[in-house]
Amino acid sequence: MTYLIEGRDGPWELVVGLEVHAQVISQSKLFSGASASYGGEPNTHVSLVDAGFPGMLPVINRECVAQAVRTGLGLKARVNLESRFDRKNYFYADLPTGYQISQFTHPIIGEGAVEIELADGSTRVIGITRLHLEQDAGKSMHDQDPARSFIDLNRAGVALMEIVSEPDIRSPEEAGAYLRKLRMILRYLGTCDGNMEEGSMRADVNVSVRKAGEPFRTRCEIKNVNSIRYVMQAIEVEAVRQVEIWENGGSVDQETRLFDPARSETRSLRSKEDAHDYRYFPDPDLLPLVIEEAWVQGLAAHLPELPDAKRQRFQDEYGIPRYDAGVLVAEQATADFYETVARGRDPRLAANWVIGDFFAALNRTGRTIQDSPISADALGGMLDLITDGTINGKIAKDVFEEMLETGESAADIVERKGLRQVTDTGAIDAAVQAVLDKNPDKLAEYRGGKDKLFGFFVGQVMKAMAGKGNPALVNEALKKVL
Amino acid sequence: MMLTELTIAGAQGGLRRREFSATELVGAHVAAIERLNGRLNAFITVTSDLALDAARRADAILAGGEDAPALTGIPLGIKDLFCTDGVRTTAASRMLEAFVPPYESTVTANLLADGAVFVGKTNLDEFAMGSANITSAFGSVENPWKRAGDEETVLVPGGSSGGSAAAVAARLAMGATGTDTGGSIRQPASYCGIAGIKPTYGRCSRWGTIAFASSLDQAGPMARTVEDCAILLQSMAGFDVRDSTSVDIAVPDYRAACGRSLKGMKVGIPAEYRVAGMPAEVEAAWEQGIAWLRDAGCEIVEVSLPYTKYGLATYYIVAPAECSSNLARYDGVRFGRRVPGESLDALYEATRREGFGAEVRRRILMGTYVLSAGYYDAYYLRAQKVRNLIRKDFENAFRTVDVLLTPTAPSPAFAQGEKMDDPVQMYLNDVFTVPASMAGVPAMSVPAGLSASGLPLGLQVIGRSFDEESVFAAASALERAAGFTHRPAVRAEVV
Amino acid sequence: MSLDPATVRRIARLARIGIDESDLPALQRELNGILGWIEQLNEVDIDGVEPMVGTGHAALRMREDVVTDGDARDAVLSNAPDAAGPYYTVPKVVE
């Protein structure tokens, strides 16, 4: 499914590459011992190293390196056993030393790949160019004083992974799918929480357009977009803008732009661009980072099962459809929940309940799987009652609602409310007879050939039995009499 | 007894034998500072009261018995580039005129832990950029030495650790800390007739020392004898987890190395240091040094360091590049001088224009240029490649010899006002000291004699990485042979 | 290579060092003097030579991921020329 922008004189193809900044999950900062946790009173998660005091020096955090390696492994990427740190020099209010420590020429992670799936079920592989470690900046606040901006350095020096994709993305949908997949992988790995609202994952979006078969044209970089939806919108409006420029005989300037969601447009940040020349050079305070192959192997051995592999296993091991498997592995917690429910039970029944009623209930109550009122074991207990014939599927829905409300176990609810399914054929036959007696006209119609009325009779019998009849036995009894 | 004439080694014994108290020893130096600092301007900040308090504590410790730490009660000057907790630290810059660090540098913390008493913060070239101590925002330092028969002309003490060198030479402190990026310990030591060693890069922690050029900066001691330098370096050196370039190698007994025999030691004489135009008296001092070492049992070997002549040009790319980045933090926001501006950029530009002196601004601009887009490969990258060649020169030489012997500087101290029109002329003072800095190897200057005009001339001993012991051994032998007992015209006991 | 006044202005701007037009001739002369002198490096054959990186003595040490620092706002703000409550300040930045 090719995404094309219809121009005045023919279709244009979209070319997009993404640079994702993902905050590393760690206790302390990349180069200082100050806390890396989110929040905190202003300037309390700040060491003199972070504030760039004279004579302060960086010392690298092993866990941040490990997190980058884990992420590289998760992206099936090359791990560079020797990498280096460079200084990116520029002045800004929230950059205390006047340079950001980053990895320019020798990143810790090289080429990798992410497979994405689109709505039509097709898949594509998006190349990863590199991943490198760098420092986050502090925060400027502009609305507390009429003349001054206030600076809080709590975030300054927190480790970031910059994950750069190849310009392989060809539609807004692919960009969205890529970001969702990347976020899923990071969350599985536990290397980034992927929380775009808190800014722990943000994207710079490189967009250009071209005619089919052409080499790349000039691109623009849309900085710091902080939601997947905005990324998709920004790509769309930026592409249209560029097509218009080209078609009007102009040319696109390579520049940094900002996406304004309120006006759904991108704006030039040219003023900020003013003479940017980062003067990268190797940071003389740091030696080359050399890691051992054995250490990398150790980290690889402890990686969790990743979404693609888990999804395949769910299909193979549980015999559930690919789509369902995809839904279940979207979050590690969901997959774990499902596996607990499915263990020793009918995995398809388990998948139907988890994806169906259970997800609906979470949605309705605004809960997450972590604070779900029904545990995986409790849901499994209910499925056991269905499987052993204690309750039927319809009653199960009532029991589930009751569990949601009271937190009681399914067995207790069935016992307390007397919901045990009726399998006594005598009672079923009596109920069937009573229904037939009450509806002579319908009976006549049925016998006259209106087969569809069978369902009506099943419904009436079940209603008469307060839903507790065993559906198979009810069907059987009705067929016999009819 | 003239307490200000003592060596550190001598004072250690005297204090322990209770021949004098730490209070007397420190008091004598504080008094000398009060009398002479107004003229010499060797100290930016004098901490007399803190020093006398510390001396009283030292006396209490000394009274307690034998186990007083090595430097208990020894008065030292601290180059004002080392951050000292609660004591103003300026880097001789208007930028940091009022900066009071809430932390103590590792090197000074080591000295304090060993009982040393700090009498004040010594003057330097602004941010350690200079070879004559004339770029300090707190005024230039006067060299306590005078040309024979010329009491008028004010000579420079060398730089950048000129305040430390002048203070030690004039007996205002028994020793001092210096930092050396391209010769900033060795060249002023040579100009002021004292000893000073730049140890191997990575030997002394850089943590808490204000950075000039991170890949070159090394702290080291300055004192009147080689043995005193060994005693001080013993305390200053050591592994520090807070400095990623600090090297985890045990610190050997430097003082013991000073007495070591030189029998069989191979001393290299690098042909390329015989530069055109070297004054005859400098060359003569060098020849004398060679003879002394030969007499001490050394084998003298001619060696070649073919890339050494590019050391200075390489240095003047690498050091400014690093300084342009290291000094970006002085922006008027978190510490230091702030000159108000309408916008953020206006604040930066005004602050950095007023806060930095001309030489610092010039080096920042130079460094910015050599790193900028389009010029990086031609300047910075090329310089780092040449630097590797320079390092390999030393590695090759040290395959056949144990130490190298060269002059420290191409001339004795010059007068204030000389060599000031052209930055390049000023840079040439470091021609002999810069190569060892580029290679990271240890190097020491030791006084060898006087020039025709009566000014001290130093010789430089360069050693293998982490082999400061051989440097101390060779420098001690030179010191013994030279029997350098000359003293500067301006000094504590001269009223 | 030799610096023209526009280049001197550009690098001063990059370095955020304010300069007056009247400073330009002297700066240009001094910087060009230094540049002319370091041109001598062009005669060195650097083919196949690696640039010096690090010190050659060791690889980078890594520290454990433990919070050992921070929570020292007074120290962090102790030298701030214009602190406002718990913050550093700068002239208003318009995004």
Side-chain angles (χ1 to χ4, degrees), chain A residues 21 86-90 95 97-102 134-137 160 280:
Chain A
H21 292 88
D86 301 287
R87 292 185 182 176
K88 178 180 183 177
N89 294 284
Y90 64 97
L95 185 70
T97 48
Y99 55 83
Q100 177 196 36
I101 305 177
S102 181
E134 63 183 28
Q135 299 173 297
D136 204 348
L160 291 179
Y280 284 100

mmCIF file of all heavy atoms in Angstrom, chain A residues 21 86-90 95 97-102 134-137 160 280:
data_model
loop_
_atom_site.group_PDB
_atom_site.id
_atom_site.type_symbol
_atom_site.label_atom_id
_atom_site.label_comp_id
_atom_site.label_asym_id
_atom_site.label_seq_id
_atom_site.Cartn_x
_atom_site.Cartn_y
_atom_site.Cartn_z
ATOM 1 N N HIS A 21 14.875 10.147 20.851
ATOM 2 C CA HIS A 21 15.637 10.303 22.094
ATOM 3 C C HIS A 21 14.888 9.577 23.193
ATOM 4 O O HIS A 21 13.762 9.941 23.520
ATOM 5 C CB HIS A 21 15.782 11.781 22.454
ATOM 6 C CG HIS A 21 16.649 12.524 21.484
ATOM 7 N ND1 HIS A 21 16.149 13.093 20.342
ATOM 8 C CD2 HIS A 21 17.986 12.753 21.476
ATOM 9 C CE1 HIS A 21 17.153 13.661 19.674
ATOM 10 N NE2 HIS A 21 18.269 13.461 20.342
ATOM 11 N N ASP A 86 32.213 12.224 22.428
ATOM 12 C CA ASP A 86 32.617 13.509 21.867
ATOM 13 C C ASP A 86 31.859 14.623 22.558
ATOM 14 O O ASP A 86 30.814 14.398 23.160
ATOM 15 C CB ASP A 86 32.287 13.540 20.367
ATOM 16 C CG ASP A 86 32.980 12.427 19.616
ATOM 17 O OD1 ASP A 86 34.189 12.519 19.439
ATOM 18 O OD2 ASP A 86 32.298 11.458 19.219
ATOM 19 N N ARG A 87 32.405 15.810 22.423
ATOM 20 C CA ARG A 87 31.674 16.973 22.922
ATOM 21 C C ARG A 87 30.986 17.667 21.755
ATOM 22 O O ARG A 87 31.612 17.909 20.724
ATOM 23 C CB ARG A 87 32.638 17.961 23.583
ATOM 24 C CG ARG A 87 33.240 17.457 24.866
ATOM 25 C CD ARG A 87 34.067 18.563 25.485
ATOM 26 N NE ARG A 87 34.720 18.135 26.709
ATOM 27 C CZ ARG A 87 35.558 18.909 27.389
ATOM 28 N NH1 ARG A 87 35.820 20.144 26.952
ATOM 29 N NH2 ARG A 87 36.117 18.470 28.499
ATOM 30 N N LYS A 88 29.724 17.978 21.962
ATOM 31 C CA LYS A 88 28.954 18.757 20.998
ATOM 32 C C LYS A 88 28.819 20.145 21.618
ATOM 33 O O LYS A 88 28.134 20.312 22.630
ATOM 34 C CB LYS A 88 27.585 18.101 20.810
ATOM 35 C CG LYS A 88 26.645 18.812 19.876
ATOM 36 C CD LYS A 88 25.318 18.043 19.796
ATOM 37 C CE LYS A 88 24.371 18.676 18.808
ATOM 38 N NZ LYS A 88 23.122 17.886 18.685
ATOM 39 N N ASN A 89 29.482 21.118 21.025
ATOM 40 C CA ASN A 89 29.599 22.439 21.659
ATOM 41 C C ASN A 89 28.523 23.399 21.183
ATOM 42 O O ASN A 89 28.417 23.660 19.980
ATOM 43 C CB ASN A 89 30.973 23.028 21.334
ATOM 44 C CG ASN A 89 32.114 22.236 21.956
ATOM 45 O OD1 ASN A 89 32.354 22.328 23.158
ATOM 46 N ND2 ASN A 89 32.789 21.431 21.148
ATOM 47 N N TYR A 90 27.748 23.899 22.119
ATOM 48 C CA TYR A 90 26.829 24.999 21.813
ATOM 49 C C TYR A 90 26.400 25.636 23.124
ATOM 50 O O TYR A 90 26.472 25.009 24.185
ATOM 51 C CB TYR A 90 25.612 24.535 20.999
ATOM 52 C CG TYR A 90 24.689 23.560 21.695
ATOM 53 C CD1 TYR A 90 23.528 24.011 22.335
ATOM 54 C CD2 TYR A 90 24.951 22.203 21.711
ATOM 55 C CE1 TYR A 90 22.666 23.124 22.962
ATOM 56 C CE2 TYR A 90 24.100 21.309 22.342
ATOM 57 C CZ TYR A 90 22.962 21.773 22.968
ATOM 58 O OH TYR A 90 22.119 20.890 23.603
ATOM 59 N N LEU A 95 22.113 24.094 29.233
ATOM 60 C CA LEU A 95 23.281 23.240 28.979
ATOM 61 C C LEU A 95 24.457 23.774 29.809
ATOM 62 O O LEU A 95 25.172 24.675 29.373
ATOM 63 C CB LEU A 95 23.626 23.252 27.487
ATOM 64 C CG LEU A 95 24.760 22.308 27.076
ATOM 65 C CD1 LEU A 95 24.309 20.859 27.176
ATOM 66 C CD2 LEU A 95 25.208 22.611 25.656
ATOM 67 N N THR A 97 27.576 23.001 30.869
ATOM 68 C CA THR A 97 28.998 23.061 30.530
ATOM 69 C C THR A 97 29.266 23.757 29.213
ATOM 70 O O THR A 97 30.423 23.999 28.861
ATOM 71 C CB THR A 97 29.585 21.639 30.424
ATOM 72 O OG1 THR A 97 28.711 20.874 29.610
ATOM 73 C CG2 THR A 97 29.713 20.982 31.774
ATOM 74 N N GLY A 98 28.206 24.066 28.454
ATOM 75 C CA GLY A 98 28.421 24.635 27.128
ATOM 76 C C GLY A 98 28.728 23.557 26.103
ATOM 77 O O GLY A 98 29.057 23.861 24.959
ATOM 78 N N TYR A 99 28.651 22.314 26.502
ATOM 79 C CA TYR A 99 28.748 21.212 25.541
ATOM 80 C C TYR A 99 27.963 20.027 26.077
ATOM 81 O O TYR A 99 27.811 19.870 27.287
ATOM 82 C CB TYR A 99 30.197 20.800 25.254
ATOM 83 C CG TYR A 99 31.008 20.433 26.470
ATOM 84 C CD1 TYR A 99 30.941 19.156 27.028
ATOM 85 C CD2 TYR A 99 31.837 21.359 27.094
ATOM 86 C CE1 TYR A 99 31.674 18.814 28.146
ATOM 87 C CE2 TYR A 99 32.578 21.029 28.220
ATOM 88 C CZ TYR A 99 32.493 19.752 28.740
ATOM 89 O OH TYR A 99 33.216 19.422 29.855
ATOM 90 N N GLN A 100 27.466 19.241 25.136
ATOM 91 C CA GLN A 100 26.779 18.010 25.502
ATOM 92 C C GLN A 100 27.741 16.863 25.215
ATOM 93 O O GLN A 100 28.330 16.812 24.132
ATOM 94 C CB GLN A 100 25.517 17.866 24.635
ATOM 95 C CG GLN A 100 24.739 16.585 24.876
ATOM 96 C CD GLN A 100 23.759 16.302 23.754
ATOM 97 O OE1 GLN A 100 24.030 16.574 22.594
ATOM 98 N NE2 GLN A 100 22.608 15.757 24.094
ATOM 99 N N ILE A 101 27.899 15.954 26.169
ATOM 100 C CA ILE A 101 28.719 14.774 25.890
ATOM 101 C C ILE A 101 27.848 13.780 25.137
ATOM 102 O O ILE A 101 26.765 13.412 25.594
ATOM 103 C CB ILE A 101 29.296 14.149 27.169
ATOM 104 C CG1 ILE A 101 30.071 15.192 27.971
ATOM 105 C CG2 ILE A 101 30.193 12.967 26.811
ATOM 106 C CD1 ILE A 101 30.631 14.672 29.294
ATOM 107 N N SER A 102 28.306 13.398 23.955
ATOM 108 C CA SER A 102 27.535 12.550 23.058
ATOM 109 C C SER A 102 28.513 11.606 22.368
ATOM 110 O O SER A 102 29.700 11.596 22.692
ATOM 111 C CB SER A 102 26.802 13.466 22.065
ATOM 112 O OG SER A 102 26.027 12.701 21.175
ATOM 113 N N GLU A 134 24.057 9.768 25.145
ATOM 114 C CA GLU A 134 24.370 11.185 25.337
ATOM 115 C C GLU A 134 23.653 11.710 26.563
ATOM 116 O O GLU A 134 22.854 11.008 27.179
ATOM 117 C CB GLU A 134 24.007 11.994 24.088
ATOM 118 C CG GLU A 134 22.536 11.979 23.742
ATOM 119 C CD GLU A 134 22.238 12.734 22.448
ATOM 120 O OE1 GLU A 134 23.119 12.799 21.573
ATOM 121 O OE2 GLU A 134 21.119 13.253 22.335
ATOM 122 N N GLN A 135 23.966 12.956 26.918
ATOM 123 C CA GLN A 135 23.366 13.564 28.107
ATOM 124 C C GLN A 135 22.111 14.338 27.739
ATOM 125 O O GLN A 135 22.082 15.023 26.725
ATOM 126 C CB GLN A 135 24.331 14.583 28.722
ATOM 127 C CG GLN A 135 25.642 14.046 29.174
ATOM 128 C CD GLN A 135 26.555 15.194 29.609
ATOM 129 O OE1 GLN A 135 26.915 16.053 28.813
ATOM 130 N NE2 GLN A 135 26.928 15.200 30.873
ATOM 131 N N ASP A 136 21.132 14.283 28.623
ATOM 132 C CA ASP A 136 19.971 15.156 28.473
ATOM 133 C C ASP A 136 20.333 16.552 28.981
ATOM 134 O O ASP A 136 21.320 16.722 29.701
ATOM 135 C CB ASP A 136 18.795 14.582 29.273
ATOM 136 C CG ASP A 136 17.444 15.047 28.733
ATOM 137 O OD1 ASP A 136 17.417 15.970 27.898
ATOM 138 O OD2 ASP A 136 16.415 14.481 29.155
ATOM 139 N N ALA A 137 19.549 17.539 28.585
ATOM 140 C CA ALA A 137 19.759 18.915 29.063
ATOM 141 C C ALA A 137 18.807 19.193 30.223
ATOM 142 O O ALA A 137 17.946 18.372 30.540
ATOM 143 C CB ALA A 137 19.510 19.891 27.921
ATOM 144 N N LEU A 160 20.554 9.586 27.822
ATOM 145 C CA LEU A 160 19.627 9.416 26.707
ATOM 146 C C LEU A 160 20.244 8.439 25.724
ATOM 147 O O LEU A 160 21.451 8.401 25.552
ATOM 148 C CB LEU A 160 19.430 10.737 25.950
ATOM 149 C CG LEU A 160 18.708 11.889 26.594
ATOM 150 C CD1 LEU A 160 18.677 13.071 25.611
ATOM 151 C CD2 LEU A 160 17.288 11.489 26.956
ATOM 152 N N TYR A 280 32.271 19.322 17.097
ATOM 153 C CA TYR A 280 32.495 18.039 17.774
ATOM 154 C C TYR A 280 33.991 17.736 17.873
ATOM 155 O O TYR A 280 34.738 17.934 16.917
ATOM 156 C CB TYR A 280 31.874 16.909 16.950
ATOM 157 C CG TYR A 280 30.384 16.789 17.012
ATOM 158 C CD1 TYR A 280 29.580 17.283 15.995
ATOM 159 C CD2 TYR A 280 29.775 16.140 18.083
ATOM 160 C CE1 TYR A 280 28.207 17.147 16.030
ATOM 161 C CE2 TYR A 280 28.398 15.988 18.128
ATOM 162 C CZ TYR A 280 27.623 16.495 17.104
ATOM 163 O OH TYR A 280 26.264 16.348 17.142
#
